[in-house]
Amino acid sequence: MAYDEDLANRVRELVGREPGITERRMFGGLAIMLRGNMSVVVRGAGGLMVRVDPADTEAALAEPGAAATVMRGRPMRGWVTVEPAACERDADLARWVDRGIRCARVLPAK
């Protein structure tokens, strides 16, 4: 399944001026990388996968449209899946993308 190109373009607009941003196709979607670290993924299944500080995971999961990210039957610590409806409003999308970028920004460059 191909990822939502419109959503990808909206994410690109939000991160366009951030130094060190690259893109990589993976997980059937489009990963937005900051200095080699994934920050946000536009999912092939719709919506986003967002990197979060593991200490902030519970707060992120309490937000509307957020769920634990599960890959191969196992929860991914430090990641939240955001359903498409929770990304429709520009302000909501910006909040999620900012969360992913802020988290990746403190990681060592790869």
Side-chain angles (χ1 to χ4, degrees):
M1 175 184 285
Y3 59 87
D4 180 340
E5 195 63 51
D6 290 331
L7 181 57
N9 286 332
R10 291 173 61 212
V11 171
R12 286 178 181 120
E13 287 178 23
L14 292 168
V15 300
R17 296 176 193 260
E18 181 76 32
I21 290 288
T22 57
E23 298 178 3
R24 179 182 289 168
R25 290 178 187 255
M26 55 177 43
F27 307 123
L30 180 69
I32 305 300
M33 317 284 281
L34 177 60
R35 297 185 340 262
N37 293 293
M38 283 194 298
S39 59
V40 178
V41 178
V42 179
R43 300 176 66 232
L48 302 173
M49 237 174 59
V50 179
R51 183 183 289 270
V52 296
D53 183 326
D56 296 334
T57 300
E58 292 305 315
L61 289 172
E63 293 196 34
T69 298
V70 178
M71 302 266 300
R72 297 185 180 147
R74 300 176 75 175
M76 289 182 58
R77 183 170 157 79
W79 287 91
V80 173
T81 298
V82 182
E83 68 182 38
C87 304
E88 289 177 354
R89 290 187 25 205
D90 290 341
D92 293 333
L93 178 62
R95 188 178 71 256
W96 282 112
V97 170
D98 181 61
R99 180 178 267 152
I101 293 294
R102 280 186 290 122
C103 189
R105 194 179 286 139
V106 299
L107 298 173
K110 289 186 175 181

